[in-house]
Amino acid sequence: MERVDAVDDDGTQESATAGLKPAGTGDGAAAGTAVAGTVAGTGTAVADTGTGSAGGISSGASAEAALAAEPESADDTESGVAAEPEEGAEPEATPTLAEVLLAAEELWPESLAEEWDKVGLVTGRPRDPVSRIMFAVDPTLEVVSEAIAWGADLLVTHHPLLLKGVNSVAATTGKGQVIHSLIESGCALLTVHTNGDSAVGGVSDVLADALGLVEVEPLMPSALGLPEEGIGRVGQLPTLETLGDFAQRVFEMLPAVASGVRVAGDSTGLVRRVAVCGGAGDGLFDAVRASRADVYVTADLRHHPASEAREGAVNGRPYLVDLSHWASEWLWLPAAAMALENVLTDQGYAVELAVSQTNSDPWDFILTPGLGA
């Protein structure tokens, strides 16, 4: 897998997008190659369908807890755990799911998740081997089918499947069908949600990097994390830009979606200080105002919070740039896949990784007023 994005030793990030675009419809930037051969622009293999590990259900246990809860078995000695490779040797060992969970915890600590969130392992047996991992934003039926067809042993999604409690996982519901498909095909499911938002190299870091921001810091620092961890990011553009030019750049870097990009503000107004939050961010307006950002880039801006933000703006700022929720978080997937591969490779393991090419944005088309004659 070619390098797409990773956190360097000094904590900085390389380009998050590297030309990757998922297949999709709408009025955004050009869509990328669908799943066949390689994921566009990365060299990530997408090969013939294989089979994975048998599944189980967990409400989101940590890696250590999941491993401890799994009963010992004579098969454990054949679970893919191998001795450390000799120095200079190519990694050949296949990690177990438990070992992948420990690597994920190193990158996206569950302690960074918001209190209301449900992150961690959802299905899968910790002792089973994992040779293929797919990343996606949503654990939808279409995404799960894509992962199974590729032969994934593990699907890592940003959004939780079981954020709210359920009384049944019967296959008569969409979520029940997802769980049955995962378990029956032997594909584990891991959720990396707000812990992936807050972590270094997380969703908002990738968005800030794609925009070329410098002097980046958390918009809302994490109470339990490092100084550079937290929800959202705020930083500086290298040079002044008009809001119109800035919004055009945002539009062009995102995967194609029907809703495009919505903008509130004077298109000729100048911007330099930028606040970003991948995913729904209209609960952060107090922090945005405190950061003195000229423009706020986020997703899912609702009518009342957006209207109140405009009413309370000083000299029209912060301007607002509203994105598709899915598109704003999809940019993180290549970076996350590369970061996980780097950690596993350092530990002597070899895995194949892929980024889902399924566009799970819920909207298919949009109607807008014509300009008229």
Side-chain angles (χ1 to χ4, degrees):
M1 177 174 173
E2 294 176 3
R3 186 176 183 85
V4 178
D5 192 13
V7 180
D8 293 333
D9 292 338
D10 62 359
T12 60
Q13 276 191 291
E14 296 181 351
S15 174
T17 53
L20 261 171
K21 298 287 183 180
T25 60
D27 54 355
T33 307
V35 173
T38 60
V39 176
T42 68
T44 305
V46 182
D48 296 334
T49 301
T51 57
S53 58
I57 298 179
S58 167
S59 63
S62 67
E64 294 88 344
L67 182 58
E70 184 66 16
E72 292 184 1
S73 165
D75 293 337
D76 286 349
T77 58
E78 301 176 0
S79 64
V81 181
E84 295 258 344
E86 295 182 7
E87 186 174 352
E90 290 294 324
E92 296 179 352
T94 299
T96 63
L97 175 58
E99 288 156 343
V100 175
L101 293 178
L102 289 173
E105 177 69 13
E106 182 177 327
L107 292 166
W108 312 295
E110 292 185 13
S111 61
L112 292 179
E114 299 294 299
E115 290 184 3
W116 51 265
D117 202 5
K118 304 297 180 185
V119 301
L121 188 64
V122 181
T123 68
R125 288 195 175 105
R127 70 169 181 265
D128 286 338
V130 172
S131 59
R132 285 186 168 189
I133 304 171
M134 180 173 283
F135 279 75
V137 174
D138 298 296
T140 63
L141 283 167
E142 186 177 359
V143 167
V144 169
S145 295
E146 178 191 10
I148 292 170
W150 181 62
D153 303 304
L154 172 62
L155 174 63
V156 180
T157 64
H158 186 55
H159 290 149
L161 175 66
L162 303 174
L163 183 59
K164 298 180 180 179
V166 296
N167 297 316
S168 169
V169 292
T172 53
T173 66
K175 292 184 185 295
Q177 290 179 55
V178 165
I179 289 174
H180 278 261
S181 295
L182 289 166
I183 294 175
E184 291 164 4
S185 66
C187 182
L189 175 63
L190 173 66
T191 300
V192 178
H193 193 207
T194 52
N195 50 326
D197 290 326
S198 288
V200 174
V203 173
S204 292
D205 258 340
V206 170
L207 189 55
D209 184 65
L211 290 170
L213 301 187
V214 296
E215 301 175 23
V216 176
E217 58 187 12
L219 188 59
M220 289 188 63
S222 172
L224 300 176
L226 300 172
E228 60 269 29
E229 293 174 327
I231 298 294
R233 296 292 186 267
V234 60
Q236 303 283 123
L237 291 169
T239 60
L240 286 169
E241 294 184 44
T242 67
L243 177 62
D245 289 343
F246 175 78
Q248 182 66 34
R249 280 207 301 121
V250 173
F251 173 81
E252 291 173 352
M253 77 182 192
L254 295 173
V257 290
S259 56
V261 171
R262 301 188 299 179
V263 184
D266 178 3
S267 63
T268 64
L270 296 177
V271 299
R272 186 158 193 183
R273 188 159 177 80
V274 181
V276 301
C277 179
D282 63 14
L284 302 181
F285 274 121
D286 286 343
V288 172
R289 282 186 284 267
S291 75
R292 303 180 67 84
D294 297 315
V295 58
Y296 181 36
V297 181
T298 189
D300 285 354
L301 286 177
R302 295 169 295 168
H303 173 83
H304 293 295
S307 177
E308 290 169 6
R310 296 199 68 180
E311 289 290 316
V314 178
N315 296 323
R317 293 171 174 79
Y319 301 134
L320 306 178
V321 178
D322 185 30
L323 315 179
S324 152
H325 190 128
W326 171 81
S328 72
E329 294 175 332
W330 189 91
L331 295 175
W332 172 72
L333 302 182
M338 191 65 244
L340 182 60
E341 185 188 44
N342 286 345
V343 172
L344 290 173
T345 299
D346 288 345
Q347 295 173 353
Y349 299 118
V351 294
E352 291 182 70
L353 293 104
V355 171
S356 170
Q357 297 294 289
T358 298
N359 183 337
S360 55
D361 186 90
W363 306 109
D364 295 314
F365 63 91
I366 188 169
L367 304 178
T368 58
L371 296 178

